[in-house]
């Protein structure tokens, strides 16, 4: 089989002042795709598919992590990539052109919180990674997916345990445990706004009529001090979290966090050689029976 790899080309990492929230998110999503490429591939390989799917939908596709992983896994497939963000879709299209797979990708801008969804055809696999917890009415979104699928088709919901951790527990030296405290503040805030985050999607899928055929949690633990992307990924994630929790942590912690985020300073996270990526991804494979 002629199998052209559709991984995004290896990127050069540049550090600049954070742009708009969408730009920052896009950069984090791209780094996440790069750092966790093997884990994403192991999820697509695990899916309990009976035959190779041809018509795929990537819901809340972002900049295309799932889209490109699926195109890579299923060389005869087409993906309809759906997102609310026109900027993310534009970035995805640019990547598709660079990879020469633009004929296999259709982008659709849609707010999946709307009651009526755009026509997504009759997909044989729908993929939703880190997007379902954004839905204001997840039950309605799951029901819409159920209706769109042909009998026998599969819905893969991938969710994250939370933001990845990067620093050793005893870092930074003057404020050990800083990262956990920052995450606790972010988790508390997120629970108020996104109750679906970290939820068990199995029962919710069953409630709308799916048969959950498998659930798998992948522990991610990447130690690679030569991987420049990990530093950039850590920087992006911590910058984004700082934007929402600055007034929810102590001033000493905020000062220590800012030292990590100061890319010109000696305490910059980019200068550390002890970063790892620790997180978890869970996937539920749900069939429309
Ligand atoms: C955390 S990102 C995940 C992106 C991608 N699936 C991935 O795995 O990298 C969540 C995505 O969901 C999209 N999103 C959030 N709410 C949405 C909505 N109501 N309708 C459509 N897309 C939405 C965001 O624009 C963003 O691209």
């Amino acid at each position: 089989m002629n199998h052209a790899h559709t991984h995004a080309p290896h990127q050069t990492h540049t550090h600049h002042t954070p742009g708009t929230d969408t730009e920052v998110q896009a950069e984090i999503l791209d780094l996440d795709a790069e750092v966790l490429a093997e884990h994403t591939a192991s999820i697509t390989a695990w899916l309990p598919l009976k035959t190779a799917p041809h018509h795929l939908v990537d819901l809340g596709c972002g900049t295309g992590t799932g889209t490109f992983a699926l195109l890579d896994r299923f060389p005869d497939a087409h993906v309809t990539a759906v997102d609310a963000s026109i900027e993310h879709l534009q970035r995805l299209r640019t990547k598709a052109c660079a990879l020469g797979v633009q004929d296999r990708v259709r982008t659709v801008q849609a707010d999946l919180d709307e009651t009526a969804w755009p026509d997504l055809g009759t997909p044989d696999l729908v993929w939703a990674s880190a997007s379902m917890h954004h839905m204001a009415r997840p039950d309605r979104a799951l029901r819409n997916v159920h209706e769109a699928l042909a009998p026998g088709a599969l819905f893969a919901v991938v969710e994250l345990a939370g933001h990845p951790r990067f620093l050793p527990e005893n870092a930074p030296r003057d404020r050990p445990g800083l990262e956990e405290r920052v995450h606790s503040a972010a988790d508390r805030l997120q629970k108020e706004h996104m109750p679906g985050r970290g939820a068990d999607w199995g029962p919710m899928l069953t409630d709308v009529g799916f048969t959950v055929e498998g659930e798998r949690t992948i522990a991610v633990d990447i130690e690679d001090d030569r991987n420049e992307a990990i530093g950039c990924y850590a920087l992006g994630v911590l910058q984004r979290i700082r934007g929402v929790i600055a007034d929810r942590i102590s001033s000493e912690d905020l000062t220590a966090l800012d030292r990590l985020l100061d890319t010109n300073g000696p305490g910059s996270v980019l200068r550390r050689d002890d970063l790892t990526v620790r997180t978890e991804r869970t996937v539920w494979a749900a069939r429309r029976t």
Side-chain angles (χ1 to χ4, degrees), residues 25 29 60-62 65 83-84 88 110-113 129-131 134-135:
Q25 186 189 38
L29 292 177
C61 58
T65 305
D83 205 281
H88 287 349
D111 180 351
L112 298 169
D113 273 331
S129 176
S131 54
H134 285 280
M135 300 295 116

Side-chain angles (χ1 to χ4, degrees), residues 57-60 70 126-132 145 155-159 282:
V57 170
D58 184 2
L59 289 179
L70 293 165
V126 172
W127 170 273
S129 176
S131 54
M132 282 297 115
V145 177
F155 181 27
V157 177
V158 184
E159 284 291 335
T282 300

Side-chain angles (χ1 to χ4, degrees), residues 61-139:
C61 58
T63 59
T65 305
T67 299
F68 295 111
L70 293 165
L71 288 174
D72 199 32
R73 172 70 54 192
F74 306 112
D76 298 323
H78 285 72
V79 177
T80 300
V82 188
D83 205 281
S85 160
I86 200 81
E87 292 90 349
H88 287 349
L89 292 173
Q90 182 58 49
R91 197 156 167 142
L92 188 154
R93 269 197 300 272
T94 304
K95 281 192 223 170
C97 290
L99 294 162
V101 294
Q102 65 276 22
D103 296 343
R104 298 173 57 207
V105 184
R106 177 169 78 104
T107 51
V108 174
Q109 191 207 1
D111 180 351
L112 298 169
D113 273 331
E114 296 288 331
T115 319
W117 280 13
D119 183 7
L120 301 174
T122 312
D124 31 26
L125 173 62
V126 172
W127 170 273
S129 176
S131 54
M132 282 297 115
H133 69 261
H134 285 280
M135 300 295 116
R137 288 273 315 272
D139 56 329

